[in-house]
Amino acid sequence: GGFAGLTTSGSVALTGDDPRAPRIRDLVARVELSSATPGRTHPDMYVYSFSLPGSPDVDLPEHELSDDLRSLAELVLGDEETP
């Protein structure tokens, strides 16, 4: 994303020992990727690709992320500060 074209990826095993797994499982249960609408992208914008169990893969520009999808991305990518 952004002008530099940076790519970052992450994944979390939902059944593993990762301390983020319970919160991520809760978010995955709430989000519906089938209702997500990919929007237009612009230069210097991040695009997030989501691959969740039981849902089609979807690519969404940052301005189209719901609060739950944004939280999910932050948790998986490690951008969220621990409360």
Side-chain angles (χ1 to χ4, degrees), residues 25-36:
R25 278 194 302 268
D26 180 52
L27 288 166
V28 167
R30 291 196 318 238
V31 300
E32 290 193 30
L33 289 182
S34 60
S35 64

Side-chain angles (χ1 to χ4, degrees), residues 2-3 5 7 14 23 25 36-37 42 46 49 54-55 57-58 74 83:
F3 284 122
T7 301
L14 298 179
R23 186 154 176 225
R25 278 194 302 268
T37 306
H42 306 283
Y46 290 99
S49 299
S55 295
D57 293 354
V58 67
E74 290 171 348

